[in-house]
Amino acid sequence: MRLSRYFLPLLRDDPKEAEIVSHRLMLRAGLIRQSSAGIYSWLPLGHRVLRKIEQIVREEQDRAGAIELLMPTIQPAELWRESGRYDDYGKEMLRITDRHERDMLYGPTNEELITAIFRDAVKSYKELPRILYHIQWKFRDEIRPRFGVMRGREFLMKDSYSFDLTQEDARKSYNRMFVSYLRTFSRMGLKSIPMAAETGPIGGDLSHEFIILADTGESEVYCHRDYLSLEPPGADLDYAADLTPLIGDWTRKYAATSDKHDAARFDKEVPPADRVTARGIEVGHIFFFGTKYSDAMGAKVQGPNGELVTVEMGSYGIGVSRLVGAIIEASHDDAGIVWPAAVAPFDVGLINVKVGDAETDAACEDFYGRLKAAGLDVLYDDRADRAGAKFAAMDLIGLPWQIIVGPKGLEAGEIELKERATGDRHSLTFDAALNRLVAAAAQARKEAA
């Protein structure tokens, strides 16, 4: 993509309305623009990141055996009246009356609708277990939307729902999603820590939040230091195996958000040298709620002995749009965003420092074509602008690699390759730089396999 033809409205100064780093950088780097309070348009650069995150989430859900569908944003109120949540949910729910005076709502979540879909379609235990998921926009009318996409009113979410015959089977589904989340966040370059959590309006008696540590996190968290070095499961994970030992590794030691923190237990169970108190950001939340919805809405199947059995359910959420902000909170510096390679909008930025110089222009055109032919996503800064402005723009948008091409380097047969995360610069031939970038991309694909 040539930057001269792209839509990338950068801001030089920090917007006054932005209170946290991710909000400031998303606005300055041209990822989003606010439409109204807590509602944002996703501009091309931000949209590319959003779709990359969504694809990682999709791949890991599929790997865990979940099946994708798509439910609408607008739901009939009658389903929520069946579950008893229509009046209980409160003002966060956006309620709508259509032209036929039917009560509708903009879904803040989908337990009722998915239960109705399952209830009307599945009649026998032989069709269990099932985990169904979709990735769809949600709306919750926050009383005070703030922090950009971290606490907006409209947001993109992956929500999955499990259906099982017994509590034992339901726990297996819960464990599959638990492990899937560890892999999902790891692939995005994040270190997530599962923590026992409140169930809130979803309900149930078993719940975990997945928290990443960041100085600007919304809540205080407490955990054992060993979680910081614990490695998530690899690509060879067998989801059909007993996952209980793996779950134990991630839940045996103390970890809790401020809502569930027990100071006495923390002091008793965790040695002083291993106590971690930090700020954290929630990026995922999973719940087992048994028959809370299936009982209220009559979701039953015929059991092995011919009896009707109310199915056991769970739900599992990942804030896809929220993750864009969370990743920036965890990965930035004074110059701008530092994208992990797996979610970066482009693999490499190609900078022509002297547009109009025939030799430099020709070299950049050649390099641009060869980078694309190698399968790399390239953002080519071919604008007639100052070199300093180009360097600042590339640092701000945070692509993992920069290739800097100018007359002096070309005279020596070299370009400059900059790694954004470390700031390291290397003078190399273009072929050597290309080989390095292709190897890095191959390694990233291998880790994702």
Side-chain angles (χ1 to χ4, degrees):
M1 177 61 66
R2 297 175 187 274
L3 191 49
S4 62
R5 301 176 188 173
Y6 200 50
F7 184 66
L8 184 60
L10 303 179
L11 300 178
R12 179 174 297 178
D13 300 317
D14 289 336
K16 293 180 180 178
E17 71 272 21
E19 300 179 51
I20 62 173
V21 170
S22 60
H23 193 190
R24 290 197 297 269
L25 290 177
M26 290 183 75
L27 290 170
R28 287 194 57 213
L31 273 65
I32 57 171
R33 285 295 181 267
Q34 181 170 302
S35 171
S36 60
I39 301 175
Y40 294 88
S41 295
W42 288 81
L43 305 186
L45 199 72
H47 188 248
R48 290 178 73 97
V49 177
L50 192 67
R51 291 302 170 221
K52 285 199 170 186
I53 291 172
E54 179 183 331
Q55 186 58 26
I56 291 173
V57 171
R58 176 176 289 110
E59 289 170 4
E60 292 302 325
Q61 287 293 290
D62 293 347
R63 190 194 300 266
I67 304 164
E68 187 172 12
L69 73 164
L70 184 62
M71 291 176 277
T73 57
I74 305 299
Q75 304 178 28
E78 63 194 58
L79 291 178
W80 286 67
R81 291 192 174 107
E82 278 190 58
S83 73
R85 286 208 298 173
Y86 184 71
D87 294 322
D88 294 343
Y89 206 89
K91 292 185 177 181
E92 285 189 358
M93 180 188 289
L94 181 61
R95 302 160 202 265
I96 306 164
T97 302
D98 70 11
R99 65 169 63 191
H100 301 291
E101 300 302 317
R102 290 179 295 222
D103 291 333
M104 311 291 285
L105 59 98
Y106 193 135
T109 183
N110 279 78
E111 282 79 10
E112 284 78 4
L113 185 52
I114 195 67
T115 302
I117 291 171
F118 177 89
R119 174 190 65 194
D120 296 342
V122 178
K123 304 301 180 184
S124 171
Y125 76 97
K126 294 179 181 179
E127 298 178 70
L128 300 179
R130 287 291 184 271
I131 303 175
L132 304 175
Y133 80 97
H134 76 156
I135 301 173
Q136 179 62 290
W137 291 95
K138 305 282 195 295
F139 186 90
R140 294 176 189 164
D141 200 0
E142 292 273 358
I143 190 171
R144 191 187 173 197
R146 56 196 302 219
F147 303 149
V149 301
M150 296 287 291
R151 192 173 175 180
R153 294 194 296 166
E154 185 183 49
F155 51 94
L156 186 62
M157 184 174 176
K158 185 286 300 178
D159 40 320
S160 347
Y161 302 91
S162 60
F163 300 87
D164 290 276
L165 188 65
T166 67
Q167 285 195 14
E168 181 182 359
D169 290 340
R171 185 58 192 253
K172 291 178 182 177
S173 293
Y174 187 94
N175 288 350
R176 289 167 82 94
M177 289 294 100
F178 186 109
V179 173
S180 172
Y181 277 34
L182 294 174
R183 279 193 46 80
T184 297
F185 301 128
S186 175
R187 283 186 57 188
M188 297 176 195
L190 297 172
K191 179 68 177 182
S192 65
I193 303 173
M195 300 192 179
E198 298 287 352
T199 58
I202 301 294
D205 55 10
L206 175 63
S207 177
H208 285 89
E209 289 178 349
F210 287 76
I211 303 291
I212 64 167
L213 303 185
D215 292 340
T216 51
E218 62 208 332
S219 60
E220 196 157 17
V221 297
Y222 307 83
C223 69
H224 195 291
R225 186 171 302 278
D226 285 357
Y227 285 121
L228 304 183
S229 56
L230 196 57
E231 289 296 323
D236 58 348
L237 174 71
D238 181 6
Y239 278 100
D242 180 9
L243 300 176
T244 305
L246 179 56
I247 302 296
D249 291 341
W250 286 90
T251 57
R252 191 172 296 113
K253 295 179 180 178
Y254 191 94
T257 63
S258 53
D259 290 341
K260 298 280 282 187
H261 178 53
D262 183 335
R265 184 183 157 210
F266 185 56
D267 291 344
K268 179 181 179 181
E269 296 182 6
V270 184
D274 291 327
R275 293 173 193 162
V276 175
T277 301
R279 306 296 297 180
I281 298 170
E282 178 194 337
V283 290
H285 204 156
I286 62 177
F287 306 83
F288 167 65
F289 41 69
T291 61
K292 173 181 170 68
Y293 298 94
S294 52
D295 190 39
M297 300 181 68
K300 303 174 186 291
V301 297
Q302 189 174 48
N305 298 319
E307 77 284 11
L308 286 179
V309 180
T310 303
V311 296
E312 304 279 343
M313 292 177 58
S315 72
Y316 316 90
I318 290 178
V320 176
S321 54
R322 178 183 176 86
L323 269 165
V324 181
I327 290 169
I328 294 172
E329 292 291 336
S331 186
H332 67 273
D333 59 21
D334 291 342
I337 302 167
V338 182
W339 290 117
V343 300
F346 294 91
D347 298 317
V348 58
L350 174 63
I351 303 174
N352 182 339
V353 300
K354 195 169 183 180
V355 173
D357 177 78
E359 184 179 354
T360 306
D361 290 347
C364 284
E365 289 295 329
D366 177 54
F367 297 161
Y368 181 48
R370 292 173 65 187
L371 288 165
K372 291 196 299 179
L376 297 169
D377 278 334
V378 190
L379 183 63
Y380 172 26
D381 191 345
D382 58 342
R383 300 170 302 159
D385 203 349
R386 295 180 298 106
K390 293 187 174 191
F391 298 151
M394 280 294 177
D395 282 347
L396 175 61
I397 65 175
L399 307 184
W401 298 94
Q402 299 172 20
I403 290 181
I404 303 164
V405 183
K408 289 185 179 179
L410 290 174
E411 285 181 10
E414 295 179 335
I415 54 87
E416 188 171 61
L417 179 66
K418 177 180 175 180
E419 187 174 2
R420 178 67 181 87
T422 63
D424 292 344
R425 295 169 178 261
H426 308 276
S427 293
L428 304 168
T429 65
F430 177 76
D431 286 341
L434 180 60
N435 290 338
R436 183 163 180 174
L437 292 174
V438 169
Q443 181 62 32
R445 286 192 296 270
K446 181 180 178 181
E447 293 172 354

